[in-house]
Amino acid sequence: MITVEEARALLFDLVAPLPAETTQLSEASGRILAKDVEATRDQPPFAASSMDGYAVKSTEVELHAMFKVVGEAAAGQRFDGTVGPGQAVRIFTGAPVPDGADFVVIQEDVDRRGDLITITDGPGAKANIRPAGVDFTIGARISAPRLLRPEDVALMAAMNIASVPVTRKPVVALISTGNELVMPGEMPGPDQIIASNTFGLKALLEQNGAHVRVLPIAQDTVTSLETAFDLAQGADLVVTIGGASVGEYDLVADVSEGVGLERSFYKIRMRPGKPLMAGRLGDAAMVGLPGNPVSAMVCGYLFLVPMVRRMLRIDQVLPPLQRARLIAPLAENGGREHYMRAIVNHDGIRACDNQDSALLSVLAQANALLVRQPHDPARTTGDEVTYLPIQ
Amino acid sequence: MITVEEARALLFDLVAPLPAETTQLSEASGRILAKDVEATRDQPPFAASSMDGYAVKSTEVELHAMFKVVGEAAAGQRFDGTVGPGQAVRIFTGAPVPDGADFVVIQEDVDRRGDLITITDGPGAKANIRPAGVDFTIGARISAPRLLRPEDVALMAAMNIASVPVTRKPVVALISTGNELVMPGEMPGPDQIIASNTFGLKALLEQNGAHVRVLPIAQDTVTSLETAFDLAQGADLVVTIGGASVGEYDLVADVSEGVGLERSFYKIRMRPGKPLMAGRLGDAAMVGLPGNPVSAMVCGYLFLVPMVRRMLRIDQVLPPLQRARLIAPLAENGGREHYMRAIVNHDGIRACDNQDSALLSVLAQANALLVRQPHDPARTTGDEVTYLPIQ
């Protein structure tokens, strides 16, 4: 069996950064910029007033100076003439500063009567003009890769970049396996339960930038599994859930090899989630997750999300591990790396009482996975431990 | 002028929590649960084996004990008979434990020859059975309001909750105003610039759970603005951008009152973003943002996101303020609360050099708003300051 770290490295060998596609600017937030983009213009494209006031020559600005107002410059509508000596142009925020003027006296500092203004308050040294290109100039670049935030979208809008090259979303096909499963909303038979893993994983992976296809539940037969693998074609990552253990009904390993899986590894020295297999299946990566719901979700955080982020070209494949102090002791850990469901708050961190990997009710209360190394000794209250946030 | 805190309180008076609507489980992640939901079944619905092995009577379990295998129980297909003395049933993970059995010997601990098994390793005390209802029982409740995470979606799936009552998304109508504006992808005239605020705000508000309608740019005329307000009907929150200052072309205040605005306040003692107005417009809240792009985005973080979250019934309307140490000094602050664009990293926090509220290039580099109180004295490197994260 291999470690979590080794498994992740092997999984990364199964995926590659995806190519770019073009999206509309209005849909670009949260996507990954795939190629550098450049401003197609200067911003502002002209020297612009930053205040409402009067555009004049700076050499003429002094207390009690008088000017004749000869025109008006509004945002979107410049004054076409030139400001001469003793002249002023009424100007509004964002308007082009007219030729001949290099100073804007704010309107609060003047007294206007008809076409005449007088400076009534000391106008100070600030010209209240934004030079052309002060925000950015043609060719200013936003470098890829970059997770695009709302601020980047606003900046690209100002740069007049209407179409944005972004990394294509990884397509993940999810296959739940097992005769015991029915979909939510159906009426389960007495021996059946509701498929939950695909729904949790779909939400988790979509939240991390994937496009998820939930395939029909595969029964525990060769034919049903083969059909599922066939339906998964075109995905970048095929994920089976359940059927990857050693029971006689665990057909995933056999069938996936039958349809061409080149296996990378089988089993990881971790809890929960030991039975996990992976390999290359044609053009796709394939991962077989254990069927216990908590194991599947934890493997989603530790392996699937990093694979998705790798395909998206995001450097930070996992959120950084955090540290907190225990507010309850921990028994010695066994021989496998353990990701314990835990609750962290201002007071510290506490592992949930029941670590059974079937308990979704416990997972839904947890907001952290407390990470323990193999054979980590017993820990007491106050000891510092590491955890992966899952909220 | 009022403070940021006072403004937010008045803005909250303009909005109310929105009613519930129903969404499909597969779309519920990231939404706010609006009503308590209850499990419609027990999980597991029967005592279930947690391992692959053999179901027997616990009183008969001891090293070297022999059993006759009389049947098989698989996940989804129980064994219909009863396990008698000296009998065992082959059982797989997730299968119902048959009547008469209360212990599962794992397959690694037995030697099987034909229909006979012998316990070859000490089976320990663990019965390897999950009791019925150990995860949850009928009526187990998820309490509203709650921001639904992937784990909650998995849990609701297991509870067979296929439709989920969630708070309706607030509908926000965004109106950019100004003759100088054209949309991205268009060819601006020599006096024009590209509308950027609506794109940045749309991304920000959608990221926070709103449904955003971007309306056509309103020209600086009464008719154009009236048309825009008319198009905004049906929105929960109408946001104008620009035209809220005191220039003669700033018609928003006049026109909004003409169409029925009951004004709540006008101007906040803050930078950037002083000219900000708000009120009640029919069934909607209305907020008039300043037109400078950075001001508009900062007001988005400080006011619009909290209003959206309030309508969604999210308790935490703002991310908690963080603390960091300055890695560069700050001059004394003026009389207004100041939200400075800043960059925070492991070394500390530094305000960006140019705080002009027109510079989107600076905002796109920032990942924090450094919060300064009115008349905050000059600060030196190493002083602790507060900031609002904006990444």
Side-chain angles (χ1 to χ4, degrees), chain A residues 264-332:
Chain A
S264 166
F265 66 84
Y266 180 59
K267 290 196 179 178
I268 301 175
R269 199 159 57 240
M270 67 176 281
R271 293 171 64 195
K274 187 172 61 168
L276 186 140
M277 55 176 286
R280 188 85 211 153
L281 188 64
D283 291 333
M286 186 238 158
V287 173
L289 297 185
N292 267 331
V294 175
S295 307
M297 284 297 285
V298 170
C299 288
Y301 278 102
L302 296 182
F303 304 114
L304 302 185
V305 167
M307 291 174 85
V308 163
R309 293 171 74 87
R310 184 81 163 206
M311 286 188 268
L312 285 169
R313 306 211 291 164
I314 300 174
D315 285 340
Q316 174 106 52
V317 293
L318 264 188
L321 290 184
Q322 309 286 323
R323 301 187 72 79
R325 292 196 182 279
L326 286 174
I327 51 180
L330 290 174
E332 184 185 357

Coordinates of all heavy atoms in Angstrom, one line a residue, chain A residues 264-332:
Chain A
S264 N -2.7 2.1 -12.2 CA -1.6 2.8 -11.7 C -1.3 2.3 -10.2 O -0.2 2.1 -9.9 CB -2.0 4.3 -11.6 OG -1.1 5.0 -10.8
F265 N -2.3 2.2 -9.4 CA -2.1 1.6 -8.1 C -3.5 1.1 -7.5 O -4.5 1.4 -8.1 CB -1.5 2.7 -7.1 CG -2.5 3.8 -6.8 CD1 -3.4 3.7 -5.9 CD2 -2.4 5.0 -7.6 CE1 -4.3 4.8 -5.6 CE2 -3.2 6.1 -7.3 CZ -4.2 6.0 -6.3
Y266 N -3.4 0.4 -6.5 CA -4.5 -0.2 -5.8 C -4.3 -0.1 -4.3 O -3.3 -0.6 -3.8 CB -4.7 -1.6 -6.3 CG -5.9 -2.3 -5.7 CD1 -7.2 -1.8 -5.9 CD2 -5.7 -3.5 -4.9 CE1 -8.3 -2.5 -5.3 CE2 -6.8 -4.2 -4.4 CZ -8.1 -3.6 -4.6 OH -9.2 -4.3 -4.0
K267 N -5.1 0.5 -3.6 CA -5.1 0.6 -2.1 C -4.1 1.7 -1.6 O -2.9 1.7 -2.1 CB -4.8 -0.7 -1.5 CG -5.9 -1.7 -1.6 CD -5.8 -2.8 -0.6 CE -7.0 -3.7 -0.7 NZ -6.9 -4.9 0.2
I268 N -4.6 2.5 -0.7 CA -3.8 3.5 -0.1 C -3.8 3.3 1.4 O -4.8 2.9 2.0 CB -4.4 4.9 -0.4 CG1 -4.4 5.1 -1.9 CG2 -3.6 6.0 0.3 CD1 -5.1 6.4 -2.4
R269 N -2.6 3.6 2.0 CA -2.5 3.3 3.5 C -3.2 4.5 4.2 O -2.5 5.3 4.8 CB -1.0 3.2 3.9 CG -0.8 2.5 5.2 CD 0.6 1.9 5.3 NE 1.6 2.9 5.1 CZ 2.5 2.9 4.1 NH1 2.6 1.9 3.3 NH2 3.4 3.8 4.0
M270 N -4.5 4.5 4.2 CA -5.2 5.6 4.8 C -6.6 5.2 5.4 O -7.1 4.1 5.0 CB -5.5 6.8 3.8 CG -6.4 6.4 2.7 SD -6.8 7.8 1.6 CE -8.0 8.7 2.6
R271 N -7.1 6.0 6.3 CA -8.5 5.8 6.8 C -9.2 7.1 6.6 O -8.6 8.2 7.0 CB -8.5 5.4 8.2 CG -8.0 4.0 8.5 CD -7.9 3.8 10.0 NE -9.2 3.8 10.6 CZ -9.3 3.9 12.0 NH1 -8.3 4.0 12.8 NH2 -10.5 3.9 12.5
P272 N -10.4 7.2 6.3 CA -11.2 6.2 5.7 C -10.8 6.0 4.2 O -10.2 7.0 3.7 CB -12.6 6.7 5.8 CG -12.5 8.1 5.7 CD -11.2 8.5 6.3
G273 N -11.1 4.9 3.6 CA -11.0 4.9 2.1 C -9.9 4.0 1.6 O -9.6 4.1 0.4
K274 N -9.4 3.0 2.3 CA -8.4 2.2 1.9 C -8.6 1.6 0.5 O -7.7 1.7 -0.4 CB -8.2 1.0 2.9 CG -7.0 0.2 2.6 CD -6.7 -0.8 3.7 CE -7.8 -1.7 3.9 NZ -7.5 -2.9 4.8
P275 N -9.7 1.0 0.2 CA -9.8 0.4 -1.2 C -10.1 1.5 -2.2 O -11.2 2.0 -2.4 CB -11.1 -0.5 -1.1 CG -11.5 -0.4 0.3 CD -11.0 0.8 0.9
L276 N -9.0 2.0 -2.8 CA -9.1 3.0 -3.8 C -8.1 2.6 -4.9 O -7.0 2.3 -4.7 CB -8.7 4.4 -3.3 CG -8.9 5.6 -4.2 CD1 -9.4 6.8 -3.5 CD2 -7.6 5.9 -4.9
M277 N -8.6 2.6 -6.2 CA -7.8 2.2 -7.3 C -7.8 3.3 -8.3 O -8.7 4.1 -8.3 CB -8.3 0.9 -7.9 CG -9.7 0.9 -8.3 SD -10.2 -0.6 -9.2 CE -9.4 -0.4 -10.7
A278 N -6.8 3.3 -9.2 CA -6.7 4.3 -10.2 C -5.9 3.8 -11.4 O -5.1 2.9 -11.3 CB -6.0 5.6 -9.6
G279 N -6.1 4.5 -12.5 CA -5.3 4.1 -13.7 C -5.7 5.0 -14.9 O -6.5 6.0 -14.7
R280 N -5.3 4.6 -16.0 CA -5.5 5.3 -17.3 C -6.5 4.5 -18.1 O -6.3 3.3 -18.2 CB -4.2 5.4 -18.0 CG -4.2 6.3 -19.2 CD -3.9 7.8 -18.9 NE -4.6 8.6 -19.9 CZ -5.1 9.8 -19.7 NH1 -5.0 10.4 -18.5 NH2 -5.7 10.4 -20.6
L281 N -7.6 5.1 -18.5 CA -8.6 4.4 -19.3 C -8.8 5.1 -20.6 O -9.6 6.1 -20.6 CB -9.9 4.3 -18.4 CG -11.0 3.5 -18.9 CD1 -10.7 2.0 -19.0 CD2 -12.3 3.6 -18.0
G282 N -8.1 4.7 -21.6 CA -8.1 5.4 -22.9 C -7.6 6.8 -22.7 O -6.5 7.0 -22.1
D283 N -8.4 7.8 -23.1 CA -8.0 9.2 -22.9 C -8.3 9.8 -21.5 O -8.0 10.9 -21.3 CB -8.8 10.1 -23.9 CG -8.3 9.8 -25.4 OD1 -7.2 9.3 -25.5 OD2 -9.1 10.0 -26.3
A284 N -9.0 9.0 -20.7 CA -9.4 9.5 -19.4 C -8.6 8.9 -18.3 O -7.9 7.9 -18.4 CB -10.9 9.1 -19.2
A285 N -8.6 9.6 -17.1 CA -8.1 9.1 -15.9 C -9.3 8.3 -15.3 O -10.4 8.7 -15.4 CB -7.6 10.1 -15.0
M286 N -9.0 7.3 -14.5 CA -10.1 6.6 -13.8 C -9.7 6.4 -12.4 O -8.5 6.0 -12.1 CB -10.3 5.2 -14.5 CG -11.5 4.5 -13.9 SD -11.1 2.9 -13.2 CE -12.4 2.6 -12.1
V287 N -10.6 6.7 -11.5 CA -10.4 6.4 -10.1 C -11.6 5.6 -9.6 O -12.8 6.0 -9.8 CB -10.3 7.8 -9.3 CG1 -10.3 7.6 -7.8 CG2 -9.1 8.6 -9.8
G288 N -11.3 4.6 -8.8 CA -12.3 3.8 -8.2 C -12.4 4.1 -6.7 O -11.4 3.8 -6.0
L289 N -13.5 4.7 -6.2 CA -13.6 5.1 -4.8 C -14.3 4.0 -4.0 O -15.1 3.3 -4.6 CB -14.4 6.4 -4.7 CG -13.8 7.6 -5.3 CD1 -14.8 8.8 -4.9 CD2 -12.4 7.9 -4.8
P290 N -14.0 3.9 -2.7 CA -14.8 3.0 -1.9 C -16.2 3.5 -1.8 O -16.5 4.6 -2.0 CB -14.1 3.1 -0.5 CG -13.3 4.4 -0.6 CD -13.0 4.7 -2.0
G291 N -17.1 2.5 -1.4 CA -18.5 2.8 -1.4 C -19.1 3.5 -0.2 O -20.1 4.1 -0.2
N292 N -18.3 3.4 0.9 CA -18.8 4.0 2.1 C -18.9 5.5 1.9 O -17.9 6.1 1.4 CB -17.9 3.7 3.3 CG -18.4 2.5 4.1 OD1 -19.6 2.2 4.1 ND2 -17.5 1.8 4.7
P293 N -20.0 6.2 2.2 CA -20.2 7.6 1.8 C -19.1 8.5 2.3 O -18.7 9.4 1.6 CB -21.6 7.9 2.3 CG -22.2 6.7 2.9 CD -21.2 5.6 2.8
V294 N -18.7 8.3 3.6 CA -17.7 9.2 4.1 C -16.4 9.0 3.5 O -15.6 9.9 3.1 CB -17.6 9.1 5.7 CG1 -16.5 9.9 6.2 CG2 -18.9 9.4 6.3
S295 N -16.0 7.7 3.2 CA -14.8 7.4 2.5 C -14.8 8.1 1.2 O -13.8 8.7 0.7 CB -14.6 5.9 2.3 OG -14.8 5.3 3.6
A296 N -15.9 8.0 0.4 CA -16.0 8.6 -0.9 C -15.8 10.1 -0.9 O -15.0 10.6 -1.7 CB -17.3 8.2 -1.5
M297 N -16.4 10.7 0.1 CA -16.3 12.2 0.1 C -14.9 12.6 0.6 O -14.3 13.6 0.0 CB -17.3 12.8 1.1 CG -18.7 12.9 0.6 SD -18.9 13.9 -0.8 CE -18.8 15.5 -0.1
V298 N -14.3 11.9 1.5 CA -12.9 12.2 2.0 C -12.0 12.0 0.8 O -11.1 12.9 0.5 CB -12.5 11.4 3.2 CG1 -11.0 11.6 3.5 CG2 -13.3 11.8 4.4
C299 N -12.1 10.9 0.1 CA -11.3 10.7 -1.1 C -11.5 11.8 -2.2 O -10.6 12.2 -2.9 CB -11.5 9.4 -1.7 SG -10.9 8.0 -0.7
G300 N -12.8 12.3 -2.2 CA -13.1 13.4 -3.1 C -12.2 14.7 -2.8 O -11.6 15.3 -3.6
Y301 N -12.1 15.0 -1.4 CA -11.3 16.1 -1.0 C -9.8 15.9 -1.3 O -9.1 16.8 -1.7 CB -11.5 16.4 0.5 CG -12.8 17.2 0.8 CD1 -13.9 16.6 1.3 CD2 -12.8 18.6 0.6 CE1 -15.1 17.3 1.6 CE2 -13.9 19.3 0.9 CZ -15.0 18.7 1.4 OH -16.2 19.5 1.6
L302 N -9.4 14.7 -1.0 CA -7.9 14.4 -1.0 C -7.4 14.1 -2.4 O -6.2 14.4 -2.6 CB -7.6 13.3 0.0 CG -7.9 13.5 1.4 CD1 -7.4 12.3 2.2 CD2 -7.2 14.7 1.9
F303 N -8.2 13.6 -3.2 CA -7.7 13.1 -4.5 C -8.4 13.8 -5.7 O -7.8 14.3 -6.6 CB -7.8 11.6 -4.6 CG -7.0 10.9 -3.5 CD1 -7.7 10.2 -2.5 CD2 -5.7 11.1 -3.4 CE1 -7.1 9.6 -1.5 CE2 -5.0 10.5 -2.3 CZ -5.7 9.7 -1.4
L304 N -9.8 13.7 -5.7 CA -10.5 14.2 -6.9 C -10.4 15.7 -7.1 O -10.1 16.2 -8.2 CB -12.0 13.8 -6.9 CG -12.2 12.3 -6.7 CD1 -13.7 12.0 -6.8 CD2 -11.5 11.5 -7.8
V305 N -10.6 16.5 -6.0 CA -10.5 17.9 -6.1 C -9.0 18.3 -6.6 O -8.9 19.1 -7.5 CB -10.8 18.6 -4.8 CG1 -10.4 20.1 -4.8 CG2 -12.3 18.5 -4.6
P306 N -8.0 17.7 -6.0 CA -6.6 18.1 -6.5 C -6.5 17.7 -8.0 O -5.8 18.5 -8.8 CB -5.7 17.3 -5.7 CG -6.4 17.2 -4.4 CD -7.9 17.0 -4.7
M307 N -7.0 16.6 -8.5 CA -6.9 16.2 -9.9 C -7.7 17.3 -10.8 O -7.2 17.7 -11.8 CB -7.5 14.8 -10.1 CG -6.7 13.7 -9.5 SD -7.5 12.1 -9.7 CE -7.0 11.6 -11.3
V308 N -8.8 17.7 -10.3 CA -9.6 18.7 -11.1 C -8.8 20.0 -11.1 O -8.7 20.6 -12.2 CB -11.0 18.9 -10.4 CG1 -11.6 20.2 -10.9 CG2 -11.9 17.7 -10.7
R309 N -8.3 20.4 -10.0 CA -7.6 21.6 -10.0 C -6.3 21.6 -10.8 O -5.9 22.5 -11.4 CB -7.3 22.1 -8.5 CG -8.6 22.4 -7.8 CD -8.4 22.6 -6.3 NE -7.7 23.8 -6.0 CZ -8.3 25.0 -5.8 NH1 -9.6 25.1 -5.9 NH2 -7.7 26.1 -5.4
R310 N -5.7 20.4 -10.8 CA -4.5 20.2 -11.7 C -4.9 20.4 -13.1 O -4.2 21.0 -13.9 CB -3.9 18.8 -11.4 CG -2.7 18.5 -12.2 CD -1.5 19.1 -11.5 NE -0.3 18.5 -11.9 CZ 0.9 18.4 -11.2 NH1 0.9 18.9 -10.0 NH2 1.9 17.8 -11.8
M311 N -6.0 19.8 -13.5 CA -6.4 19.9 -14.9 C -6.8 21.4 -15.3 O -6.6 21.8 -16.4 CB -7.7 19.0 -15.2 CG -7.3 17.5 -15.3 SD -8.7 16.5 -15.8 CE -9.4 16.0 -14.3
L312 N -7.2 22.1 -14.3 CA -7.6 23.5 -14.5 C -6.3 24.4 -14.4 O -6.5 25.6 -14.7 CB -8.6 24.0 -13.4 CG -10.0 23.5 -13.6 CD1 -10.8 23.8 -12.3 CD2 -10.7 24.1 -14.8
R313 N -5.2 23.9 -14.1 CA -3.9 24.7 -14.0 C -3.9 25.6 -12.8 O -3.3 26.6 -12.8 CB -3.7 25.5 -15.2 CG -3.7 24.7 -16.5 CD -2.7 25.3 -17.5 NE -3.1 26.5 -18.1 CZ -2.3 27.4 -18.7 NH1 -1.1 27.1 -18.9 NH2 -2.8 28.5 -19.2
I314 N -4.6 25.1 -11.7 CA -4.5 25.9 -10.4 C -3.3 25.3 -9.6 O -3.3 24.1 -9.4 CB -5.8 25.7 -9.6 CG1 -7.0 26.3 -10.4 CG2 -5.7 26.4 -8.3 CD1 -8.3 26.0 -9.8
D315 N -2.4 26.2 -9.2 CA -1.2 25.7 -8.5 C -1.6 25.1 -7.2 O -1.0 24.1 -6.8 CB -0.3 26.9 -8.3 CG 0.4 27.3 -9.6 OD1 0.5 26.5 -10.5 OD2 0.9 28.5 -9.6
Q316 N -2.5 25.8 -6.5 CA -2.8 25.3 -5.1 C -3.8 24.2 -5.2 O -5.0 24.5 -5.3 CB -3.4 26.5 -4.3 CG -3.9 26.2 -3.0 CD -3.0 26.6 -1.9 OE1 -2.6 27.8 -1.8 NE2 -2.6 25.7 -1.0
V317 N -3.4 23.0 -5.2 CA -4.3 21.9 -5.5 C -5.1 21.5 -4.2 O -6.2 20.9 -4.3 CB -3.6 20.6 -6.1 CG1 -3.1 20.9 -7.4 CG2 -2.5 20.2 -5.1
L318 N -4.5 21.8 -3.1 CA -5.2 21.5 -1.8 C -5.2 22.8 -1.0 O -4.2 23.5 -1.1 CB -4.4 20.5 -1.0 CG -4.8 19.0 -1.1 CD1 -4.0 18.3 0.0 CD2 -6.3 18.7 -0.8
P319 N -6.3 23.1 -0.2 CA -6.1 24.2 0.7 C -5.0 23.9 1.7 O -4.8 22.8 2.0 CB -7.5 24.3 1.4 CG -8.2 23.0 1.1 CD -7.5 22.4 -0.1
P320 N -4.3 25.0 2.1 CA -3.2 24.7 3.0 C -3.7 24.1 4.3 O -4.8 24.5 4.8 CB -2.6 26.1 3.3 CG -3.5 27.1 2.7 CD -4.4 26.4 1.8
L321 N -2.9 23.1 4.9 CA -3.3 22.6 6.1 C -3.2 23.7 7.2 O -2.3 24.5 7.2 CB -2.3 21.4 6.5 CG -2.4 20.2 5.7 CD1 -1.5 19.1 6.2 CD2 -3.9 19.6 5.7
Q322 N -4.2 23.6 8.2 CA -4.2 24.6 9.3 C -3.8 23.9 10.5 O -3.7 22.6 10.6 CB -5.6 25.1 9.4 CG -6.3 25.6 8.2 CD -5.7 26.9 7.7 OE1 -5.4 27.8 8.6 NE2 -5.6 27.1 6.4
R323 N -3.5 24.7 11.6 CA -3.1 24.1 12.8 C -4.1 24.6 13.9 O -4.6 25.7 13.9 CB -1.7 24.5 13.2 CG -0.7 24.1 12.2 CD 0.8 24.3 12.7 NE 1.2 23.4 13.7 CZ 1.6 22.1 13.5 NH1 1.6 21.6 12.3 NH2 1.9 21.4 14.6
A324 N -4.4 23.7 14.9 CA -5.3 24.1 16.0 C -4.9 23.2 17.2 O -4.3 22.2 17.0 CB -6.8 23.9 15.6
R325 N -5.4 23.7 18.3 CA -5.1 22.9 19.6 C -6.3 22.0 19.9 O -7.4 22.4 19.7 CB -4.8 23.8 20.7 CG -3.5 24.6 20.6 CD -3.0 25.3 21.8 NE -1.8 26.0 21.5 CZ -0.6 25.4 21.4 NH1 -0.5 24.1 21.6 NH2 0.5 26.1 21.0
L326 N -6.0 20.8 20.3 CA -7.0 19.8 20.7 C -7.8 20.3 21.9 O -7.2 20.8 22.9 CB -6.4 18.5 21.0 CG -5.9 17.7 19.8 CD1 -5.1 16.4 20.4 CD2 -7.0 17.2 18.9
I327 N -9.1 20.2 21.8 CA -9.9 20.4 23.1 C -10.5 19.1 23.6 O -11.3 19.1 24.5 CB -11.1 21.4 22.8 CG1 -11.9 21.0 21.6 CG2 -10.5 22.8 22.6 CD1 -13.0 22.0 21.3
A328 N -10.0 18.0 23.1 CA -10.3 16.7 23.6 C -9.1 15.8 23.2 O -8.6 15.9 22.1 CB -11.6 16.2 23.1
P329 N -8.8 14.8 24.1 CA -7.7 13.9 23.7 C -8.0 13.0 22.6 O -9.1 12.8 22.2 CB -7.4 13.2 25.0 CG -8.7 13.2 25.7 CD -9.4 14.5 25.3
L330 N -6.9 12.4 22.0 CA -7.0 11.4 20.9 C -6.2 10.2 21.3 O -5.1 10.3 21.9 CB -6.4 12.0 19.6 CG -7.1 13.1 18.9 CD1 -6.2 13.6 17.8 CD2 -8.4 12.7 18.4
A331 N -6.8 9.0 21.0 CA -6.1 7.8 21.2 C -5.0 7.6 20.2 O -5.0 8.3 19.2 CB -7.1 6.6 21.1
E332 N -4.1 6.7 20.4 CA -3.0 6.4 19.5 C -3.6 6.1 18.1 O -4.6 5.4 18.1 CB -2.1 5.3 20.0 CG -0.9 5.0 19.1 CD -0.2 3.8 19.6 OE1 -0.6 3.2 20.7 OE2 0.8 3.4 19.0

